[in-house]
Amino acid sequence: MDLQSTKSQHRTLNKKVVLQITLPIILFTLITLQLVKNISTKRPQNLIISYIKNDNQDEVSSTSNSPKSCDVFSGEWIPNMEAPYYTNDSCNVIQEHQNCMKYGRPDTEFMKWKWKPNECELPIFNPYKFLEIVRGKSLAFVGDSVARNHMQSLVCLLSRVEHPIDVSNNKDDNFKRWFYQSYNFTLVILWSPFLVKTLENDPNGRTGKTFWGLHLDEADEVWKDEIDKFNYIIISAGQWFFRPLIYYEKRNFMGCRYCEIDNLTEYSLSFGYQNAFRTAFQTILEKENFKGVVYLRTFVPGHFEGGEWDNGGDCLKKSPYKSNEVHLEGETLELYTAQMQEFREAQGLAQQRGLSFRLLDMTRLMLMRPDGHPSKYGRPANLTWPSDCVHWCLPGPIDSWSDFLLEMFKA
């Protein structure tokens, strides 16, 4: 073989080697560039921002989480030594039966916890950020005394920024109206423990027994005629449905619960509860002028142990449960399931109307807080009446509800 032929073969071989080396490099470079482009244009959707208000400025820190959605209602209670963020002296709207420190509760650990979701962070409530979001708007709580308890907690948390003016139409604590002048923000409680039209002391009840008659297909006019005025509504109900009840439909008797009346059908606990929420949601959806956002705060159980509320029951625990120590069951599960069924149905219909129905899913995480009730510390020591294991001390666990509320307002 001559020299010229040998050189030609070497050149051919070299070209093949170069192609074998450079082609993969080119492909790898192109793929890498495309991946970089995709990453730069697809930012994580779940961006959690926490705000800390100092004397002079807002410091903003942000942490990006996984692009997958985070269930903020699934997690654990963890210690928070910075809490509480107000005291029973700095907040003047705490009612006596929630003023646990005034009446001598010896432990303070129940105030020093915060909720930690499993897969993300839930920032502590920032009153400055909240008031900026609701500037020029209005918020109504519709429900029972636990709804009022929630509103008072929110007022206390906001007291670090501004104390509101009481512009209520009367002195009834069940219909309080607060106005934040610097922010043109109105906060209201509309007392409606059953959400539907109600008759007290039903004449068909057994002698010596107090009955409540519920018109399950008619919304309570107390809130029905008011909600068009509000940008946000937080609706809730629960504990009053454990009372003796008589049910009406189309103004006719249809049955009862805990009534023991001949010829009246005895319904399950969840029957009246589910129908009341169905009527409430339908009423909101049928109001043409309502353009606000509706939040359902789910049923929150009491924590009576050792007896019923009127038979020696009490709540003496001093720390939260872990998530694996308690489970939804019994009447709590029954009411929660009924409530969620109606909410999901209403949420779908709301989307068709361009309305927003959102969920404050407090049931399970508050089942884990037997430590936050007044018990006997909601009254002077020389007075005797049943322990309170339904409402919540202020400051206390339900201050965390505003952590969730603000995060949903920001979304």
Side-chain angles (χ1 to χ4, degrees):
M1 182 179 296
D2 59 20
L3 182 60
Q4 185 67 30
S5 176
T6 300
K7 288 182 178 180
S8 177
Q9 290 178 356
H10 278 296
R11 283 195 297 270
T12 302
L13 180 61
N14 287 339
K15 289 180 181 179
K16 291 181 178 179
V17 171
V18 170
L19 286 173
Q20 289 175 349
I21 293 173
T22 58
L23 185 58
I25 292 174
I26 293 170
L27 290 173
F28 178 78
T29 303
L30 290 173
I31 292 171
T32 302
L33 288 172
Q34 185 62 38
L35 287 173
V36 171
K37 180 180 179 182
N38 288 342
I39 291 172
S40 65
T41 57
K42 295 182 179 180
R43 296 183 178 181
Q45 297 299 310
N46 190 15
L47 184 65
I48 302 297
I49 301 177
S50 60
Y51 296 86
I52 304 173
K53 180 68 178 181
N54 290 333
D55 292 337
N56 300 319
Q57 64 179 356
D58 251 351
E59 295 181 1
V60 181
S61 63
S62 63
T63 56
S64 295
N65 294 286
S66 167
K68 67 181 180 180
S69 61
C70 169
D71 179 8
V72 295
F73 303 108
S74 178
E76 300 285 349
W77 291 98
I78 64 172
N80 177 24
M81 293 301 104
E82 295 181 5
Y85 298 95
Y86 62 91
T87 70
N88 61 326
D89 291 324
S90 68
C91 182
N92 59 8
V93 302
I94 301 175
Q95 289 180 285
E96 293 292 284
H97 62 276
Q98 299 151 358
N99 203 336
C100 303
M101 305 315 293
K102 175 180 178 179
Y103 289 115
R105 180 162 178 165
D107 60 307
T108 60
E109 290 78 10
F110 71 94
M111 297 185 286
K112 299 181 179 297
W113 298 87
K114 67 178 180 179
W115 182 252
K116 172 62 177 70
N118 290 328
E119 298 181 359
C120 59
E121 296 295 327
L122 179 65
I124 294 295
F125 180 80
N126 182 287
Y128 298 88
K129 186 65 179 179
F130 181 88
L131 285 169
E132 283 299 335
I133 290 174
V134 299
R135 183 184 290 274
K137 298 179 181 178
S138 56
L139 165 62
F141 289 86
V142 178
D144 55 20
S145 54
V146 179
R148 185 182 65 225
N149 203 176
H150 185 187
M151 186 194 74
Q152 290 158 341
S153 166
L154 178 57
V155 172
C156 289
L157 290 167
L158 294 175
S159 66
R160 289 177 288 168
V161 179
E162 182 174 328
H163 291 281
I165 301 170
D166 187 347
V167 292
S168 307
N169 296 326
N170 54 60
K171 295 183 179 181
D172 189 343
D173 285 333
N174 292 324
F175 295 94
K176 277 293 182 184
R177 184 179 294 263
W178 301 101
F179 181 64
Y180 291 81
Q181 192 168 15
S182 300
Y183 293 87
N184 189 26
F185 170 58
T186 301
L187 191 58
V188 173
I189 176 69
L190 299 175
W191 172 261
S192 185
F194 294 111
L195 303 180
V196 294
K197 183 177 179 180
T198 305
L199 298 174
E200 187 177 356
N201 294 322
D202 192 276
N204 294 278
R206 187 155 49 90
T207 302
K209 190 119 175 178
T210 299
F211 284 84
W212 293 80
L214 307 188
H215 291 266
L216 294 176
D217 55 348
E218 297 183 48
D220 187 354
E221 293 179 357
V222 163
W223 64 265
K224 174 184 176 182
D225 297 336
E226 293 288 323
I227 60 170
D228 287 346
K229 304 174 184 176
F230 299 100
N231 302 100
Y232 308 101
I233 294 175
I234 301 177
I235 192 168
S236 60
Q239 297 296 335
W240 283 64
F241 285 83
F242 290 93
R243 299 168 184 247
L245 305 173
I246 292 179
Y247 300 136
Y248 299 84
E249 188 175 52
K250 297 180 179 178
R251 304 293 177 95
N252 296 316
F253 288 124
M254 63 176 300
C256 64
R257 175 68 181 171
Y258 303 130
C259 64
E260 301 176 17
I261 298 177
D262 293 339
N263 300 320
L264 275 185
T265 302
E266 182 82 11
Y267 285 96
S268 67
L269 173 63
S270 61
F271 175 81
Y273 193 67
Q274 183 164 353
N275 276 273
F277 273 98
R278 180 180 302 166
T279 295
F281 292 145
Q282 287 177 348
T283 299
I284 295 171
L285 290 170
E286 290 170 359
K287 292 185 76 66
E288 295 182 1
N289 294 328
F290 178 73
K291 307 298 180 183
V293 181
V294 178
Y295 292 85
L296 168 67
R297 196 266 294 152
T298 60
F299 172 70
V300 175
H303 291 88
F304 290 99
E305 295 185 7
E308 299 296 328
W309 69 273
D310 57 349
N311 190 29
D314 208 344
C315 39
L316 302 176
K317 287 187 168 57
K318 293 186 168 77
S319 61
Y321 289 115
K322 294 291 185 182
S323 61
N324 62 355
E325 293 178 322
V326 290
H327 305 281
L328 289 182
E329 57 187 7
E331 293 176 335
T332 298
L333 178 59
E334 181 183 352
L335 293 184
Y336 177 73
T337 301
Q339 191 177 45
M340 288 299 298
Q341 182 177 334
E342 293 307 317
F343 173 76
R344 294 304 183 196
E345 178 72 21
Q347 189 179 47
L349 295 172
Q351 289 176 348
Q352 297 175 20
R353 264 206 57 196
L355 294 176
S356 180
F357 276 44
R358 299 182 180 180
L359 187 68
L360 283 168
D361 196 352
M362 298 290 105
T363 305
R364 191 169 188 279
L365 63 90
M366 294 310 293
L367 182 63
M368 298 162 64
R369 293 305 308 268
D371 55 319
H373 300 289
S375 179
K376 63 182 179 181
Y377 299 108
R379 63 181 187 268
N382 62 341
L383 297 180
T384 302
W385 62 72
S387 294
D388 185 350
C389 299
V390 170
H391 302 98
W392 303 88
C393 296
L394 295 179
I398 65 169
D399 292 331
S400 66
W401 294 3
S402 292
D403 299 347
F404 292 93
L405 186 61
L406 175 55
E407 198 65 15
M408 297 179 84
F409 275 19
K410 287 157 52 179

